[in-house]
Amino acid sequence: MIMNSLSSTQPAPFSAAQTVGTFSQIEALLGALDENANAESPLVSSSVDPSTRKILIIDDEPINARVVRKYLVDAGMTRCTTLSDALGAIDTIRAERPDLVLLDIMMPGISGIEILRQLREIPAFRHLAVLVLTAVEDREI
């Protein structure tokens, strides 16, 4: 999912098609966690309703995280936490044990790619579902 913002403080609104596609994809991903539950993935339980899954949104722009959280909550996914300090991401993931991480790629201090690399080195999080998202201001990128 790419969130284009008009400025650093005002995110561009999602189109209806973007919103429906994005959040139905998240619902499908959460459903797939149930279908693929196994011993290697301790964060997955096939008896959990997808709407009660813990979702962690990591984005250095608090407005972007709030917009994503609002759409998720409006879609019935009420257990959403946001984090704007990327340097604390690994510690927060260890403490919160989310079922799904929505991870911004372009952040100061540590990139989302580096966070993902570190996560994959931790055995308990090798199978953690991570959706990558970013906000791009320049439409030429």
PDB file of all heavy atoms in Angstrom, residues 31-63:
ATOM      1  N   GLY A  31      -6.937 -13.768   7.649  1.00  0.00           N
ATOM      2  CA  GLY A  31      -7.577 -15.068   7.467  1.00  0.00           C
ATOM      3  C   GLY A  31      -6.574 -16.142   7.108  1.00  0.00           C
ATOM      4  O   GLY A  31      -6.654 -17.278   7.573  1.00  0.00           O
ATOM      5  N   ALA A  32      -5.582 -15.780   6.291  1.00  0.00           N
ATOM      6  CA  ALA A  32      -4.545 -16.738   5.897  1.00  0.00           C
ATOM      7  C   ALA A  32      -3.708 -17.157   7.099  1.00  0.00           C
ATOM      8  O   ALA A  32      -3.238 -18.293   7.170  1.00  0.00           O
ATOM      9  CB  ALA A  32      -3.654 -16.150   4.810  1.00  0.00           C
ATOM     10  N   LEU A  33      -3.537 -16.267   8.061  1.00  0.00           N
ATOM     11  CA  LEU A  33      -2.813 -16.644   9.270  1.00  0.00           C
ATOM     12  C   LEU A  33      -3.513 -17.806   9.959  1.00  0.00           C
ATOM     13  O   LEU A  33      -2.871 -18.726  10.441  1.00  0.00           O
ATOM     14  CB  LEU A  33      -2.724 -15.453  10.231  1.00  0.00           C
ATOM     15  CG  LEU A  33      -1.799 -14.308   9.823  1.00  0.00           C
ATOM     16  CD1 LEU A  33      -1.928 -13.162  10.811  1.00  0.00           C
ATOM     17  CD2 LEU A  33      -0.369 -14.761   9.700  1.00  0.00           C
ATOM     18  N   ASP A  34      -4.853 -17.750  10.005  1.00  0.00           N
ATOM     19  CA  ASP A  34      -5.607 -18.846  10.610  1.00  0.00           C
ATOM     20  C   ASP A  34      -5.414 -20.134   9.838  1.00  0.00           C
ATOM     21  O   ASP A  34      -5.197 -21.193  10.406  1.00  0.00           O
ATOM     22  CB  ASP A  34      -7.101 -18.515  10.648  1.00  0.00           C
ATOM     23  CG  ASP A  34      -7.409 -17.481  11.718  1.00  0.00           C
ATOM     24  OD1 ASP A  34      -6.663 -17.409  12.705  1.00  0.00           O
ATOM     25  OD2 ASP A  34      -8.403 -16.768  11.550  1.00  0.00           O
ATOM     26  N   GLU A  35      -5.490 -20.060   8.508  1.00  0.00           N
ATOM     27  CA  GLU A  35      -5.387 -21.253   7.672  1.00  0.00           C
ATOM     28  C   GLU A  35      -4.011 -21.889   7.747  1.00  0.00           C
ATOM     29  O   GLU A  35      -3.861 -23.083   7.596  1.00  0.00           O
ATOM     30  CB  GLU A  35      -5.713 -20.908   6.220  1.00  0.00           C
ATOM     31  CG  GLU A  35      -7.155 -20.496   6.008  1.00  0.00           C
ATOM     32  CD  GLU A  35      -7.392 -19.916   4.629  1.00  0.00           C
ATOM     33  OE1 GLU A  35      -6.505 -20.036   3.751  1.00  0.00           O
ATOM     34  OE2 GLU A  35      -8.464 -19.339   4.425  1.00  0.00           O
ATOM     35  N   ASN A  36      -2.986 -21.055   7.961  1.00  0.00           N
ATOM     36  CA  ASN A  36      -1.611 -21.556   7.943  1.00  0.00           C
ATOM     37  C   ASN A  36      -1.014 -21.701   9.332  1.00  0.00           C
ATOM     38  O   ASN A  36       0.201 -21.757   9.479  1.00  0.00           O
ATOM     39  CB  ASN A  36      -0.729 -20.632   7.102  1.00  0.00           C
ATOM     40  CG  ASN A  36      -1.134 -20.652   5.653  1.00  0.00           C
ATOM     41  OD1 ASN A  36      -1.427 -21.714   5.109  1.00  0.00           O
ATOM     42  ND2 ASN A  36      -1.191 -19.493   5.037  1.00  0.00           N
ATOM     43  N   ALA A  37      -1.845 -21.741  10.357  1.00  0.00           N
ATOM     44  CA  ALA A  37      -1.343 -21.877  11.721  1.00  0.00           C
ATOM     45  C   ALA A  37      -0.511 -23.154  11.830  1.00  0.00           C
ATOM     46  O   ALA A  37      -0.916 -24.203  11.370  1.00  0.00           O
ATOM     47  CB  ALA A  37      -2.505 -21.915  12.710  1.00  0.00           C
ATOM     48  N   ASN A  38       0.673 -23.018  12.431  1.00  0.00           N
ATOM     49  CA  ASN A  38       1.522 -24.184  12.630  1.00  0.00           C
ATOM     50  C   ASN A  38       2.443 -23.948  13.815  1.00  0.00           C
ATOM     51  O   ASN A  38       2.504 -22.859  14.361  1.00  0.00           O
ATOM     52  CB  ASN A  38       2.322 -24.503  11.357  1.00  0.00           C
ATOM     53  CG  ASN A  38       3.244 -23.373  10.958  1.00  0.00           C
ATOM     54  OD1 ASN A  38       4.000 -22.863  11.777  1.00  0.00           O
ATOM     55  ND2 ASN A  38       3.193 -22.972   9.702  1.00  0.00           N
ATOM     56  N   ALA A  39       3.182 -24.974  14.209  1.00  0.00           N
ATOM     57  CA  ALA A  39       4.049 -24.884  15.378  1.00  0.00           C
ATOM     58  C   ALA A  39       5.170 -23.880  15.183  1.00  0.00           C
ATOM     59  O   ALA A  39       5.698 -23.345  16.142  1.00  0.00           O
ATOM     60  CB  ALA A  39       4.623 -26.265  15.689  1.00  0.00           C
ATOM     61  N   GLU A  40       5.586 -23.626  13.927  1.00  0.00           N
ATOM     62  CA  GLU A  40       6.656 -22.679  13.681  1.00  0.00           C
ATOM     63  C   GLU A  40       6.212 -21.245  13.889  1.00  0.00           C
ATOM     64  O   GLU A  40       7.022 -20.346  13.963  1.00  0.00           O
ATOM     65  CB  GLU A  40       7.161 -22.806  12.239  1.00  0.00           C
ATOM     66  CG  GLU A  40       7.881 -24.087  11.953  1.00  0.00           C
ATOM     67  CD  GLU A  40       8.362 -24.120  10.519  1.00  0.00           C
ATOM     68  OE1 GLU A  40       8.741 -23.059   9.999  1.00  0.00           O
ATOM     69  OE2 GLU A  40       8.340 -25.197   9.931  1.00  0.00           O
ATOM     70  N   SER A  41       4.939 -20.995  13.949  1.00  0.00           N
ATOM     71  CA  SER A  41       4.418 -19.651  14.051  1.00  0.00           C
ATOM     72  C   SER A  41       3.646 -19.482  15.360  1.00  0.00           C
ATOM     73  O   SER A  41       2.430 -19.591  15.379  1.00  0.00           O
ATOM     74  CB  SER A  41       3.511 -19.361  12.849  1.00  0.00           C
ATOM     75  OG  SER A  41       3.086 -18.028  12.869  1.00  0.00           O
ATOM     76  N   PRO A  42       4.357 -19.196  16.460  1.00  0.00           N
ATOM     77  CA  PRO A  42       3.701 -19.152  17.761  1.00  0.00           C
ATOM     78  C   PRO A  42       2.712 -18.009  17.917  1.00  0.00           C
ATOM     79  O   PRO A  42       1.906 -18.019  18.822  1.00  0.00           O
ATOM     80  CB  PRO A  42       4.871 -18.989  18.733  1.00  0.00           C
ATOM     81  CG  PRO A  42       5.950 -18.364  17.933  1.00  0.00           C
ATOM     82  CD  PRO A  42       5.776 -18.896  16.542  1.00  0.00           C
ATOM     83  N   LEU A  43       2.735 -17.012  17.040  1.00  0.00           N
ATOM     84  CA  LEU A  43       1.824 -15.881  17.170  1.00  0.00           C
ATOM     85  C   LEU A  43       0.478 -16.155  16.533  1.00  0.00           C
ATOM     86  O   LEU A  43      -0.422 -15.336  16.599  1.00  0.00           O
ATOM     87  CB  LEU A  43       2.435 -14.635  16.518  1.00  0.00           C
ATOM     88  CG  LEU A  43       3.757 -14.182  17.113  1.00  0.00           C
ATOM     89  CD1 LEU A  43       4.284 -12.976  16.365  1.00  0.00           C
ATOM     90  CD2 LEU A  43       3.604 -13.872  18.582  1.00  0.00           C
ATOM     91  N   VAL A  44       0.340 -17.306  15.901  1.00  0.00           N
ATOM     92  CA  VAL A  44      -0.879 -17.610  15.164  1.00  0.00           C
ATOM     93  C   VAL A  44      -1.708 -18.629  15.929  1.00  0.00           C
ATOM     94  O   VAL A  44      -1.198 -19.631  16.379  1.00  0.00           O
ATOM     95  CB  VAL A  44      -0.523 -18.164  13.766  1.00  0.00           C
ATOM     96  CG1 VAL A  44      -1.764 -18.587  13.025  1.00  0.00           C
ATOM     97  CG2 VAL A  44       0.254 -17.133  12.980  1.00  0.00           C
ATOM     98  N   SER A  45      -2.986 -18.357  16.040  1.00  0.00           N
ATOM     99  CA  SER A  45      -3.909 -19.315  16.643  1.00  0.00           C
ATOM    100  C   SER A  45      -5.118 -19.418  15.737  1.00  0.00           C
ATOM    101  O   SER A  45      -5.733 -18.416  15.396  1.00  0.00           O
ATOM    102  CB  SER A  45      -4.337 -18.841  18.023  1.00  0.00           C
ATOM    103  OG  SER A  45      -5.407 -19.631  18.478  1.00  0.00           O
ATOM    104  N   SER A  46      -5.463 -20.613  15.333  1.00  0.00           N
ATOM    105  CA  SER A  46      -6.563 -20.781  14.388  1.00  0.00           C
ATOM    106  C   SER A  46      -7.921 -20.540  15.029  1.00  0.00           C
ATOM    107  O   SER A  46      -8.917 -20.498  14.338  1.00  0.00           O
ATOM    108  CB  SER A  46      -6.514 -22.177  13.764  1.00  0.00           C
ATOM    109  OG  SER A  46      -6.642 -23.140  14.772  1.00  0.00           O
ATOM    110  N   SER A  47      -7.971 -20.362  16.347  1.00  0.00           N
ATOM    111  CA  SER A  47      -9.261 -20.156  17.008  1.00  0.00           C
ATOM    112  C   SER A  47      -9.582 -18.680  17.233  1.00  0.00           C
ATOM    113  O   SER A  47     -10.559 -18.368  17.890  1.00  0.00           O
ATOM    114  CB  SER A  47      -9.267 -20.895  18.345  1.00  0.00           C
ATOM    115  OG  SER A  47      -8.277 -20.350  19.186  1.00  0.00           O
ATOM    116  N   VAL A  48      -8.758 -17.765  16.708  1.00  0.00           N
ATOM    117  CA  VAL A  48      -8.945 -16.341  16.959  1.00  0.00           C
ATOM    118  C   VAL A  48      -9.683 -15.681  15.798  1.00  0.00           C
ATOM    119  O   VAL A  48      -9.355 -15.886  14.641  1.00  0.00           O
ATOM    120  CB  VAL A  48      -7.576 -15.650  17.170  1.00  0.00           C
ATOM    121  CG1 VAL A  48      -7.751 -14.163  17.383  1.00  0.00           C
ATOM    122  CG2 VAL A  48      -6.855 -16.273  18.352  1.00  0.00           C
ATOM    123  N   ASP A  49     -10.697 -14.897  16.129  1.00  0.00           N
ATOM    124  CA  ASP A  49     -11.440 -14.113  15.142  1.00  0.00           C
ATOM    125  C   ASP A  49     -10.499 -13.066  14.550  1.00  0.00           C
ATOM    126  O   ASP A  49      -9.850 -12.328  15.295  1.00  0.00           O
ATOM    127  CB  ASP A  49     -12.617 -13.442  15.851  1.00  0.00           C
ATOM    128  CG  ASP A  49     -13.446 -12.559  14.947  1.00  0.00           C
ATOM    129  OD1 ASP A  49     -13.095 -12.381  13.770  1.00  0.00           O
ATOM    130  OD2 ASP A  49     -14.467 -12.044  15.439  1.00  0.00           O
ATOM    131  N   PRO A  50     -10.383 -12.962  13.211  1.00  0.00           N
ATOM    132  CA  PRO A  50      -9.474 -11.986  12.601  1.00  0.00           C
ATOM    133  C   PRO A  50      -9.694 -10.552  13.074  1.00  0.00           C
ATOM    134  O   PRO A  50      -8.762  -9.774  13.128  1.00  0.00           O
ATOM    135  CB  PRO A  50      -9.752 -12.112  11.103  1.00  0.00           C
ATOM    136  CG  PRO A  50     -10.243 -13.500  10.937  1.00  0.00           C
ATOM    137  CD  PRO A  50     -11.014 -13.798  12.203  1.00  0.00           C
ATOM    138  N   SER A  51     -10.911 -10.205  13.467  1.00  0.00           N
ATOM    139  CA  SER A  51     -11.158  -8.832  13.918  1.00  0.00           C
ATOM    140  C   SER A  51     -10.529  -8.543  15.279  1.00  0.00           C
ATOM    141  O   SER A  51     -10.440  -7.388  15.681  1.00  0.00           O
ATOM    142  CB  SER A  51     -12.659  -8.546  13.967  1.00  0.00           C
ATOM    143  OG  SER A  51     -13.269  -9.297  14.997  1.00  0.00           O
ATOM    144  N   THR A  52     -10.081  -9.575  15.977  1.00  0.00           N
ATOM    145  CA  THR A  52      -9.444  -9.362  17.279  1.00  0.00           C
ATOM    146  C   THR A  52      -7.921  -9.465  17.203  1.00  0.00           C
ATOM    147  O   THR A  52      -7.250  -9.381  18.230  1.00  0.00           O
ATOM    148  CB  THR A  52      -9.965 -10.368  18.318  1.00  0.00           C
ATOM    149  OG1 THR A  52      -9.588 -11.682  17.913  1.00  0.00           O
ATOM    150  CG2 THR A  52     -11.463 -10.257  18.484  1.00  0.00           C
ATOM    151  N   ARG A  53      -7.388  -9.636  16.028  1.00  0.00           N
ATOM    152  CA  ARG A  53      -5.931  -9.711  15.862  1.00  0.00           C
ATOM    153  C   ARG A  53      -5.278  -8.400  16.264  1.00  0.00           C
ATOM    154  O   ARG A  53      -5.818  -7.328  16.038  1.00  0.00           O
ATOM    155  CB  ARG A  53      -5.568  -9.994  14.404  1.00  0.00           C
ATOM    156  CG  ARG A  53      -6.022 -11.313  13.903  1.00  0.00           C
ATOM    157  CD  ARG A  53      -5.205 -12.390  14.508  1.00  0.00           C
ATOM    158  NE  ARG A  53      -5.495 -13.629  13.810  1.00  0.00           N
ATOM    159  CZ  ARG A  53      -4.890 -14.734  14.065  1.00  0.00           C
ATOM    160  NH1 ARG A  53      -3.963 -14.790  14.966  1.00  0.00           N
ATOM    161  NH2 ARG A  53      -5.207 -15.816  13.414  1.00  0.00           N
ATOM    162  N   LYS A  54      -4.093  -8.494  16.831  1.00  0.00           N
ATOM    163  CA  LYS A  54      -3.320  -7.316  17.197  1.00  0.00           C
ATOM    164  C   LYS A  54      -2.542  -6.836  15.968  1.00  0.00           C
ATOM    165  O   LYS A  54      -1.795  -7.609  15.361  1.00  0.00           O
ATOM    166  CB  LYS A  54      -2.347  -7.652  18.311  1.00  0.00           C
ATOM    167  CG  LYS A  54      -3.003  -7.874  19.647  1.00  0.00           C
ATOM    168  CD  LYS A  54      -2.021  -8.457  20.634  1.00  0.00           C
ATOM    169  CE  LYS A  54      -1.444  -7.406  21.518  1.00  0.00           C
ATOM    170  NZ  LYS A  54      -0.591  -8.007  22.574  1.00  0.00           N
ATOM    171  N   ILE A  55      -2.725  -5.569  15.638  1.00  0.00           N
ATOM    172  CA  ILE A  55      -2.040  -4.979  14.499  1.00  0.00           C
ATOM    173  C   ILE A  55      -1.193  -3.820  15.012  1.00  0.00           C
ATOM    174  O   ILE A  55      -1.690  -2.942  15.716  1.00  0.00           O
ATOM    175  CB  ILE A  55      -3.035  -4.478  13.435  1.00  0.00           C
ATOM    176  CG1 ILE A  55      -3.893  -5.642  12.929  1.00  0.00           C
ATOM    177  CG2 ILE A  55      -2.300  -3.791  12.288  1.00  0.00           C
ATOM    178  CD1 ILE A  55      -5.022  -5.233  12.006  1.00  0.00           C
ATOM    179  N   LEU A  56       0.081  -3.814  14.651  1.00  0.00           N
ATOM    180  CA  LEU A  56       0.996  -2.739  15.017  1.00  0.00           C
ATOM    181  C   LEU A  56       1.335  -1.944  13.758  1.00  0.00           C
ATOM    182  O   LEU A  56       1.801  -2.520  12.774  1.00  0.00           O
ATOM    183  CB  LEU A  56       2.266  -3.293  15.657  1.00  0.00           C
ATOM    184  CG  LEU A  56       3.348  -2.266  16.004  1.00  0.00           C
ATOM    185  CD1 LEU A  56       2.841  -1.254  17.035  1.00  0.00           C
ATOM    186  CD2 LEU A  56       4.599  -2.973  16.512  1.00  0.00           C
ATOM    187  N   ILE A  57       1.090  -0.654  13.805  1.00  0.00           N
ATOM    188  CA  ILE A  57       1.386   0.242  12.684  1.00  0.00           C
ATOM    189  C   ILE A  57       2.626   1.039  13.064  1.00  0.00           C
ATOM    190  O   ILE A  57       2.615   1.769  14.056  1.00  0.00           O
ATOM    191  CB  ILE A  57       0.208   1.200  12.418  1.00  0.00           C
ATOM    192  CG1 ILE A  57      -1.078   0.411  12.172  1.00  0.00           C
ATOM    193  CG2 ILE A  57       0.532   2.132  11.252  1.00  0.00           C
ATOM    194  CD1 ILE A  57      -2.340   1.227  12.378  1.00  0.00           C
ATOM    195  N   ILE A  58       3.696   0.894  12.280  1.00  0.00           N
ATOM    196  CA  ILE A  58       4.943   1.610  12.550  1.00  0.00           C
ATOM    197  C   ILE A  58       5.167   2.596  11.422  1.00  0.00           C
ATOM    198  O   ILE A  58       5.392   2.206  10.270  1.00  0.00           O
ATOM    199  CB  ILE A  58       6.138   0.638  12.660  1.00  0.00           C
ATOM    200  CG1 ILE A  58       5.876  -0.415  13.726  1.00  0.00           C
ATOM    201  CG2 ILE A  58       7.424   1.421  12.936  1.00  0.00           C
ATOM    202  CD1 ILE A  58       6.902  -1.524  13.769  1.00  0.00           C
ATOM    203  N   ASP A  59       5.087   3.887  11.754  1.00  0.00           N
ATOM    204  CA  ASP A  59       5.270   4.950  10.766  1.00  0.00           C
ATOM    205  C   ASP A  59       5.792   6.173  11.499  1.00  0.00           C
ATOM    206  O   ASP A  59       5.240   6.557  12.531  1.00  0.00           O
ATOM    207  CB  ASP A  59       3.944   5.266  10.071  1.00  0.00           C
ATOM    208  CG  ASP A  59       4.119   6.100   8.818  1.00  0.00           C
ATOM    209  OD1 ASP A  59       4.914   7.072   8.852  1.00  0.00           O
ATOM    210  OD2 ASP A  59       3.472   5.795   7.811  1.00  0.00           O
ATOM    211  N   ASP A  60       6.855   6.783  10.981  1.00  0.00           N
ATOM    212  CA  ASP A  60       7.437   7.949  11.643  1.00  0.00           C
ATOM    213  C   ASP A  60       6.557   9.193  11.534  1.00  0.00           C
ATOM    214  O   ASP A  60       6.744  10.147  12.283  1.00  0.00           O
ATOM    215  CB  ASP A  60       8.829   8.247  11.084  1.00  0.00           C
ATOM    216  CG  ASP A  60       8.810   8.603   9.617  1.00  0.00           C
ATOM    217  OD1 ASP A  60       8.236   7.824   8.824  1.00  0.00           O
ATOM    218  OD2 ASP A  60       9.380   9.639   9.246  1.00  0.00           O
ATOM    219  N   GLU A  61       5.587   9.190  10.641  1.00  0.00           N
ATOM    220  CA  GLU A  61       4.651  10.302  10.510  1.00  0.00           C
ATOM    221  C   GLU A  61       3.372   9.939  11.263  1.00  0.00           C
ATOM    222  O   GLU A  61       2.570   9.125  10.788  1.00  0.00           O
ATOM    223  CB  GLU A  61       4.326  10.568   9.035  1.00  0.00           C
ATOM    224  CG  GLU A  61       5.484  11.103   8.226  1.00  0.00           C
ATOM    225  CD  GLU A  61       5.860  12.520   8.621  1.00  0.00           C
ATOM    226  OE1 GLU A  61       4.999  13.271   9.144  1.00  0.00           O
ATOM    227  OE2 GLU A  61       7.027  12.880   8.422  1.00  0.00           O
ATOM    228  N   PRO A  62       3.160  10.526  12.433  1.00  0.00           N
ATOM    229  CA  PRO A  62       1.982  10.164  13.240  1.00  0.00           C
ATOM    230  C   PRO A  62       0.658  10.324  12.487  1.00  0.00           C
ATOM    231  O   PRO A  62      -0.252   9.511  12.675  1.00  0.00           O
ATOM    232  CB  PRO A  62       2.057  11.120  14.435  1.00  0.00           C
ATOM    233  CG  PRO A  62       3.502  11.482  14.537  1.00  0.00           C
ATOM    234  CD  PRO A  62       4.012  11.490  13.127  1.00  0.00           C
ATOM    235  N   ILE A  63       0.532  11.310  11.621  1.00  0.00           N
ATOM    236  CA  ILE A  63      -0.724  11.495  10.886  1.00  0.00           C
ATOM    237  C   ILE A  63      -0.992  10.306   9.975  1.00  0.00           C
ATOM    238  O   ILE A  63      -2.136   9.842   9.859  1.00  0.00           O
ATOM    239  CB  ILE A  63      -0.749  12.832  10.100  1.00  0.00           C
ATOM    240  CG1 ILE A  63      -2.123  13.092   9.485  1.00  0.00           C
ATOM    241  CG2 ILE A  63       0.310  12.857   9.014  1.00  0.00           C
ATOM    242  CD1 ILE A  63      -3.174  13.469  10.453  1.00  0.00           C
TER     243      ILE A  63
END
